[in-house]
Amino acid sequence: MADTLTRRSPLKGWESRFAVLPASTNISEEPFVAMVDLWVAPTGPGVTACAEVLGVPALPTTPSTAVEGPDANVIWFGPQEWLVTSTSQAAEALEAQLREVTTEHGGAAVDVSAQRTTVRLCGAHARDVLAKGCSLDLHPAVFGPGAAAQTMLGLAAVVLIPLDDKGTDYRILVRSSFAGYLADWLIDAAEEFGVDWSQ
């Protein structure tokens, strides 16, 4: 029976609804991103070993920040918690690599990929759309590459990641159960910038 199961992303079928929006507010899903919740003491050999596995100089220790490695991004989630994401590695492999180096130091690595999906919002009005439902100061001077904030967008708890220094490209991690709500909210917030209902 398990051999017949097909993986389905939370926003499968939404492409046609996203297509009515103009390029200035482009929305798309980036499904099946590997996500591993990493717990390890913020100092000592465990965190150093994790950084080496991920190919980053060090894990971020400042709230609302992230570091990018060659195959993974590491987002600060708490004093001894990080979310590791990757679009190029399988979640099982990433979890196994991190678990191997953290367990002996009292840490843990857990695959949480099914917990969230990823939404990409880009275009000239991307920041304007987010500002309608997010209380953060989104100006690129204070919220640019290297930032990653746990915040509210509308009524959905999200992780918001700016991808450029112009306020025109963002990655939004949202719990799978809130993905439909967030997609509806983003479309509604973007409609003032033009909608092509002929699509």
Side-chain angles (χ1 to χ4, degrees):
M1 175 98 174
D3 292 339
T4 65
L5 296 178
T6 302
R7 192 162 61 159
R8 180 183 172 91
S9 71
L11 294 178
K12 182 175 175 60
W14 281 76
E15 296 86 354
S16 60
R17 296 190 62 187
F18 295 150
V20 304
L21 297 171
S24 64
T25 53
N26 183 268
I27 302 170
S28 60
E29 184 185 20
E30 297 177 340
F32 311 129
V33 174
M35 300 187 194
V36 174
D37 200 14
L38 174 65
W39 289 78
V40 67
T43 58
V47 73
T48 301
C50 289
E52 289 176 0
V53 165
L54 297 169
V56 297
L59 303 191
T61 55
T62 303
S64 300
T65 61
V67 296
E68 185 174 347
D71 297 311
N73 293 327
V74 187
I75 302 165
W76 184 94
F77 257 30
Q80 57 183 13
E81 182 184 6
W82 294 264
L83 182 68
V84 181
T85 70
S86 178
T87 56
S88 61
Q89 294 189 68
E92 297 84 358
L94 183 59
E95 177 191 43
Q97 287 178 318
L98 290 169
R99 182 178 290 169
E100 183 178 351
V101 297
T102 57
T103 303
E104 64 180 294
H105 302 292
V110 180
D111 177 7
V112 293
S113 305
Q115 196 177 74
R116 296 178 180 87
T117 192
T118 304
V119 176
R120 188 78 170 265
L121 172 65
C122 54
H125 290 295
R127 181 160 62 105
D128 300 320
V129 169
L130 293 174
K132 292 184 177 187
C134 180
S135 61
L136 295 178
D137 182 354
L138 299 173
H139 193 282
V142 294
F143 193 68
Q150 299 175 71
T151 187
M152 298 297 293
L153 186 54
L155 297 177
V158 302
V159 180
L160 184 60
I161 306 166
L163 300 177
D164 69 9
D165 58 3
K166 298 177 179 134
T168 60
D169 197 359
Y170 297 89
R171 185 167 281 137
I172 307 166
L173 311 185
V174 61
R175 290 192 180 272
S176 297
S177 58
F178 273 84
Y181 161 80
L182 182 66
D184 261 331
W185 187 92
L186 288 169
I187 291 170
D188 183 65
E191 281 186 344
E192 76 166 273
F193 304 110
V195 174
D196 182 0
W197 293 113
S198 67
Q199 293 276 348

